[in-house]
Amino acid sequence: MAKSMSLLWGAGSPPCWRVMITLEEKKLQGYKRKLLSFQKGEHKSQEVLEINPRGQLPAFKHGDLIVNESTAACFYLEKQFQSQGNRLIPDSPAEQALTFQRVMEGLTLTDKLNSVIYYDLLLPEEERHDSGLKRNKETLSTELQLWESYLQNVAAGSYLAGPFSLADVVVYPNVAFAFRFGLSAGRFPKLAKYYSLLKDRPSIRASWPPQWMASTRGYDVLKDL
Amino acid sequence: MAKSMSLLWGAGSPPCWRVMITLEEKKLQGYKRKLLSFQKGEHKSQEVLEINPRGQLPAFKHGDLIVNESTAACFYLEKQFQSQGNRLIPDSPAEQALTFQRVMEGLTLTDKLNSVIYYDLLLPEEERHDSGLKRNKETLSTELQLWESYLQNVAAGSYLAGPFSLADVVVYPNVAFAFRFGLSAGRFPKLAKYYSLLKDRPSIRASWPPQWMASTRGYDVLKDL
């Protein structure tokens, strides 16, 4: 099955990483994959645009079917391979409700991280304001405190919806991303615990970004949060 | 079952409308609901914050379970009431892939609509730029053209993923919202056809925003798109 799948991806992109974790969890190793460079603009290449008209990575195919939105690909793979590998949507209504809720909130976390980390990329110079970046940082800090509160029982091995689930698949790459960009483990201890507890989960270790962006510029952008 | 559900909602909010359409489709009429006013700031009231710490609507409960993210609530209701009412996630892999893909892309459409319609609300006056609003409008126009291309066969009754699905539940309120704010049916004929074809679907008619915002200010904000 995995042989009929192909993934165009970029290193260090949380959306790409989500799909890769899901493929590992569902025992779909052996899919074709090709690493492209954001810095060289390869996500806007013809090769990508033919699969993903948005010119974004991931660009994912299963046979002739295309599912490019990372969370959509996770849902699709879980549904198509429900009984293969690990179940990522729990059975109990309470855990199921929490899984869906945290998956979707995870996309808000992604947006708020991007609004700080990529502030300069998102706005032309003449539209940037110190007050805007400051507000985005405050909003992100409030957001991260919310996630800190969601992880009260993480030390006991309870993740975002209890057992490891699609919520963790979607959110963990954002959390790793935040620490990569300087988030303080002292001020976000539950998130730090979550980060380190799941770091060695086989699906996550196997898909860990190999170089995680060539440049080290901006790696302390979240340190004062 | 519906009697144990409650929804706090705001009129004209596409996220609230999604949940209401899903409840209709799944034959879950008879749930408790309470209309709150965004203009009076009631979405930031204690009543909402106790259910939704983000201070956003919808705030949805099923018994003791809370699912506030609109798309999460749609997924949850479909999963919990799979064999009740209409199936919202098709069985065929191709339609399923398309359903998940369009659901998630629908959230991008929401963001891009908001970045134009609520430009003044999202940014303090000193950070607003004509160039910023212009760029957001261009980005939205490109986005809407993409959706126009997704609806090539709409005249033949084929919706976003073929049969009516969760993709339509999530996206239709955005499309109705766009026309409400002045989108040109002439320049977006497929979207206009989609808008009018689904307007009278029972679940959509039953949940149509009763007043759709008291003010008429800004209702032509998308007319030049």
Side-chain angles (χ1 to χ4, degrees):
Chain A
M1 259 313 189
K3 286 197 196 321
S4 62
M5 295 179 184
S6 66
L7 178 73
L8 303 179
W9 66 295
S13 144
C16 294
W17 197 1
R18 288 172 190 149
V19 181
M20 295 168 90
I21 295 172
T22 304
L23 288 161
E24 294 291 327
E25 292 285 338
K26 303 309 288 182
K27 304 282 171 243
L28 291 162
Q29 291 94 346
Y31 59 93
K32 286 188 282 290
R33 68 188 192 195
K34 184 173 176 183
L35 177 60
L36 299 180
S37 161
F38 290 112
Q39 275 151 332
K40 293 184 192 158
E42 290 173 347
H43 53 302
K44 301 293 179 194
S45 65
Q46 198 51 36
E47 183 179 15
V48 173
L49 289 170
E50 274 168 18
I51 300 171
N52 190 345
R54 294 180 182 276
Q56 292 173 341
L57 299 175
F60 178 71
K61 283 183 83 169
H62 177 199
D64 290 335
L65 303 184
I66 290 173
V67 195
N68 296 316
E69 294 292 314
S70 62
T71 308
C74 296
F75 276 124
Y76 170 78
L77 290 168
E78 170 60 14
K79 186 108 179 156
Q80 288 295 311
F81 300 93
Q82 210 156 344
S83 55
Q84 185 173 318
N86 296 318
R87 288 286 296 271
L88 297 174
I89 298 179
D91 273 330
S92 90
E95 289 173 351
Q96 214 169 81
L98 210 47
T99 300
F100 290 128
Q101 172 68 15
R102 298 292 183 251
V103 162
M104 301 312 301
E105 284 186 272
L107 305 184
T108 298
L109 174 59
T110 306
D111 282 349
K112 291 184 177 173
L113 279 165
N114 289 345
S115 76
V116 172
I117 293 172
Y118 300 125
Y119 186 76
D120 286 359
L121 274 179
L122 292 169
L123 290 173
E125 195 171 352
E126 61 278 14
E127 291 177 30
R128 294 176 208 151
H129 297 267
D130 290 345
S131 56
L133 180 57
K134 182 167 175 283
R135 191 178 55 254
N136 289 1
K137 282 187 175 183
E138 286 162 0
T139 304
L140 174 58
S141 181
T142 304
E143 178 72 25
L144 287 164
Q145 288 298 350
L146 204 52
W147 290 91
E148 187 75 8
S149 78
Y150 293 160
L151 288 164
Q152 281 313 309
N153 300 317
V154 68
S158 178
Y159 304 123
L160 286 172
F164 186 86
S165 75
L166 216 48
D168 304 294
V169 171
V170 169
V171 174
Y172 185 84
N174 291 305
V175 173
F177 198 59
F179 284 111
R180 176 80 178 174
F181 280 90
L183 193 70
S184 157
R187 278 196 298 284
F188 297 93
K190 304 284 184 194
L191 281 166
K193 183 80 189 167
Y194 177 69
Y195 172 69
S196 73
L197 269 181
L198 282 179
K199 201 155 45 82
D200 291 322
R201 188 176 171 93
S203 65
I204 289 175
R205 201 177 42 211
S207 56
W208 199 270
Q211 72 250 34
W212 214 330
M213 299 177 194
S215 153
T216 55
R217 257 187 56 219
Y219 275 3
D220 58 356
V221 65
L222 303 185
K223 81 170 183 332
D224 56 352
L225 230 54
Chain B
M1 259 313 190
K3 287 199 196 320
S4 62
M5 296 180 183
S6 66
L7 178 74
L8 302 179
W9 66 294
S13 143
C16 295
W17 197 2
R18 286 171 191 149
V19 180
M20 296 168 90
I21 295 172
T22 304
L23 288 162
E24 294 291 327
E25 291 285 339
K26 302 310 286 182
K27 304 283 171 242
L28 291 162
Q29 291 94 346
Y31 59 93
K32 286 188 281 290
R33 67 189 192 195
K34 184 173 177 184
L35 178 60
L36 299 180
S37 162
F38 290 112
Q39 275 151 332
K40 294 184 192 156
E42 290 173 349
H43 53 301
K44 300 292 179 194
S45 65
Q46 198 50 37
E47 182 179 15
V48 174
L49 289 169
E50 273 167 20
I51 301 171
N52 190 344
R54 295 182 182 274
Q56 292 173 340
L57 299 175
F60 177 71
K61 283 183 83 171
H62 177 200
D64 291 335
L65 304 183
I66 290 173
V67 195
N68 295 316
E69 294 292 314
S70 62
T71 308
C74 296
F75 276 125
Y76 170 78
L77 290 168
E78 170 61 14
K79 186 108 178 156
Q80 288 296 311
F81 300 93
Q82 211 156 345
S83 54
Q84 185 172 318
N86 296 318
R87 288 286 297 271
L88 297 174
I89 297 180
D91 273 330
S92 90
E95 290 173 351
Q96 214 170 80
L98 210 47
T99 299
F100 290 129
Q101 171 70 14
R102 297 292 182 252
V103 162
M104 302 312 301
E105 285 186 273
L107 305 183
T108 298
L109 174 59
T110 306
D111 282 348
K112 292 185 177 172
L113 279 165
N114 289 345
S115 76
V116 172
I117 292 172
Y118 299 126
Y119 186 77
D120 286 0
L121 275 178
L122 292 170
L123 290 173
E125 195 171 351
E126 63 277 15
E127 291 179 28
R128 293 175 209 152
H129 296 266
D130 290 345
S131 56
L133 181 56
K134 183 166 175 283
R135 191 178 54 254
N136 290 0
K137 283 188 174 183
E138 286 162 0
T139 304
L140 175 57
S141 180
T142 304
E143 178 72 26
L144 287 164
Q145 288 298 351
L146 204 52
W147 290 92
E148 188 74 10
S149 77
Y150 293 161
L151 288 163
Q152 281 312 308
N153 300 316
V154 68
S158 178
Y159 304 126
L160 285 172
F164 186 86
S165 76
L166 218 49
D168 303 295
V169 171
V170 168
V171 174
Y172 185 84
N174 291 306
V175 173
F177 198 58
F179 283 111
R180 177 81 176 173
F181 280 89
L183 192 70
S184 157
R187 279 197 297 284
F188 297 93
K190 305 282 185 195
L191 281 165
K193 183 80 188 167
Y194 177 70
Y195 172 69
S196 72
L197 269 181
L198 282 179
K199 201 154 46 81
D200 291 321
R201 188 174 171 95
S203 65
I204 289 175
R205 202 176 42 210
S207 57
W208 198 269
Q211 71 250 35
W212 215 333
M213 300 178 190
S215 152
T216 53
R217 258 187 54 219
Y219 274 4
D220 57 356
V221 65
L222 303 185
K223 79 171 186 329
D224 56 349
L225 231 55

